[in-house]
Amino acid sequence: MTGPDNDTRQAPLRVGALVFPGFEVLDLFGPVELLHQTDGRFSIRIVAAQPGEVASAQNVRIVADEGFGDAGEFDILLVPGGIGTRTEVANPVLLDWLRRMEPQARHVASVCTGSALLAKAGLLDGHRATSNKIAFDWVVGQGPSVQWVRRARWVEDGKFFTSSGISAGMDMTLALVERLFGRPVSEEAARRAEYQWNSKSGNDPFAAA
Amino acid sequence: MTGPDNDTRQAPLRVGALVFPGFEVLDLFGPVELLHQTDGRFSIRIVAAQPGEVASAQNVRIVADEGFGDAGEFDILLVPGGIGTRTEVANPVLLDWLRRMEPQARHVASVCTGSALLAKAGLLDGHRATSNKIAFDWVVGQGPSVQWVRRARWVEDGKFFTSSGISAGMDMTLALVERLFGRPVSEEAARRAEYQWNSKSGNDPFAAA
């Protein structure tokens, strides 16, 4: 276990959270909630192809703050999954945006089938990663050069954090908070959210067959 | 333990999910996610004072499908908490809407400080209920005739389900799904969401002092 990247307070880290039609709500809002429970250590912007309304897989609409062309810079990219990834893996505009944003990002985090988008963009080639356990084989097909891990709540490899399905994004997010700011900050975020953190990345009750 | 209210498939149950400025995102989207993982047993509408954009406590904006005047009928009311409840407990329009909608609802479910709104509206008088454990004393002050429970992940009393803070709403939602459709349906929803369900309402690691 290495120490936290930061242990003093600085300007908030800029989080760019990608959304697209058919994104999964808990993939996005679980992480957003926990990042928010850290006393302003993160500022979150919702990014989509264009600013404005985007409908989730659950048919609830949210509002993107900016579009791909708005040239924001982000310290952290957050990529949710959802049924919409089945379409977006064939969307060159979205994949190009990921490729363009990745080099400047200190961390890139995906939840559930969000890792299929990172894989299809080529960003995970040679890296260890995981994904949703029900859709696992489909995800593997999006990135044959990725070292896919079938039993993991989440996987950290270099700048990349990839989580298992939906709810696992919350456990991964707290691990990312720990990496950035240390264990007391991640534990306090969990406490404020009354979240029972599965803090062991290898503890995966839903491992893929 | 009584049996499920329903064990055969019928029309989706209509869920009216209340939002207001400063609602907490996970209070809303944890339950929405898990209700969605039940093969169409629920249809969810987002309701606010007016249709249109509403900003959460996390500053992410979502879109309300309908306003208080749109006269929808709901089988289930879902009431999130968040810092915005501090304002809304003094909003007679919102409290009147809750009073108007409650009689027709088969179940009324709140997450976190959402129970302060139900309490202030008088709907929980004489009932057992719980709430966020950090804000507990403030919530108690909104409903002195409520039987507040300091150690509970959630409380079920008659038609009312009230949960502890933020993340506890997911555990409560699966208990509501179990009540309505039986344990196999709630367990399958948890599995699909890769959610590690704390299924014991009395198992509360964050109990109020």
Side-chain angles (χ1 to χ4, degrees), chain A:
Chain A
M1 183 70 75
T2 59
D5 292 356
N6 285 6
D7 53 7
T8 56
R9 296 298 303 280
Q10 299 172 337
L13 293 176
R14 300 160 300 176
V15 179
L18 175 66
V19 295
F20 43 82
F23 76 94
E24 195 79 20
V25 287
L26 188 56
D27 292 14
L28 175 68
F29 288 108
V32 164
E33 176 69 52
L34 293 164
L35 293 173
H36 184 73
Q37 296 290 351
T38 62
D39 288 326
R41 286 178 167 87
F42 299 93
S43 70
I44 297 163
R45 302 282 287 171
I46 306 294
V47 187
Q50 281 90 33
E53 290 186 15
V54 178
S56 67
Q58 290 67 36
N59 227 8
V60 177
R61 291 170 288 161
I62 76 157
V63 182
D65 299 307
E66 43 193 273
F68 291 160
D70 295 341
E73 260 200 19
F74 298 109
D75 300 300
I76 296 167
L77 290 183
L78 174 64
V79 180
I83 192 66
T85 58
R86 306 287 172 136
T87 303
E88 301 302 331
V89 290
N91 178 354
V93 176
L94 182 142
L95 299 178
D96 284 349
W97 184 81
L98 288 172
R99 287 187 204 103
R100 201 163 74 240
M101 303 304 284
E102 181 271 334
Q104 58 176 293
R106 188 160 149 191
H107 289 292
V108 177
S110 68
V111 179
C112 194
T113 50
S115 56
L117 299 175
L118 299 179
K120 191 76 178 189
L123 302 178
L124 295 177
D125 284 355
H127 288 280
R128 290 180 306 115
T130 196
S131 192
N132 178 290
K133 297 308 164 45
I134 295 170
F136 208 81
D137 291 337
W138 174 76
V139 175
V140 166
Q142 308 309 310
S145 303
V146 179
Q147 297 175 45
W148 293 107
V149 181
R150 287 180 178 264
R151 178 177 298 276
R153 190 68 173 160
W154 74 89
V155 169
E156 176 183 353
D157 186 357
K159 71 161 66 175
F160 296 98
F161 282 69
T162 55
S163 91
S164 190
I166 305 182
S167 308
M170 296 182 281
D171 295 327
M172 176 195 75
T173 297
L174 290 170
L176 175 59
V177 170
E178 178 180 358
R179 161 52 53 106
L180 290 164
F181 296 107
R183 185 81 173 200
V185 176
S186 58
E187 286 184 343
E188 175 63 10
R191 190 184 74 84
R192 291 183 187 179
E194 297 190 29
Y195 182 69
Q196 297 177 270
W197 182 18
N198 173 354
S199 66
K200 305 280 191 212
S201 64
N203 177 5
D204 179 11
F206 306 97

Side-chain angles (χ1 to χ4, degrees), chain B residues 38-176:
Chain B
T38 61
D39 289 325
R41 286 179 167 86
F42 300 93
S43 70
I44 296 162
R45 302 281 287 171
I46 305 294
V47 186
Q50 281 90 32
E53 290 186 16
V54 178
S56 67
Q58 289 67 36
N59 227 8
V60 177
R61 291 170 288 161
I62 76 157
V63 182
D65 299 306
E66 42 194 274
F68 290 161
D70 294 341
E73 262 200 19
F74 299 109
D75 300 300
I76 296 167
L77 291 183
L78 174 65
V79 180
I83 193 65
T85 59
R86 306 288 172 136
T87 304
E88 300 302 331
V89 289
N91 178 353
V93 176
L94 183 140
L95 299 179
D96 284 348
W97 183 80
L98 288 173
R99 286 186 204 104
R100 202 163 74 240
M101 303 304 284
E102 182 270 336
Q104 58 176 292
R106 188 159 149 190
H107 289 292
V108 177
S110 69
V111 179
C112 194
T113 50
S115 56
L117 300 174
L118 299 179
K120 191 74 177 189
L123 301 178
L124 294 177
D125 284 355
H127 288 281
R128 289 181 307 116
T130 195
S131 193
N132 178 290
K133 296 308 162 48
I134 296 171
F136 208 82
D137 291 337
W138 174 77
V139 175
V140 166
Q142 308 309 310
S145 303
V146 179
Q147 297 174 44
W148 293 107
V149 181
R150 286 180 179 265
R151 178 177 297 276
R153 190 67 173 161
W154 74 90
V155 170
E156 176 182 352
D157 187 359
K159 72 161 63 173
F160 296 99
F161 282 69
T162 56
S163 91
S164 189
I166 306 183
S167 308
M170 296 183 280
D171 295 327
M172 176 195 74
T173 296
L174 290 170
L176 175 58

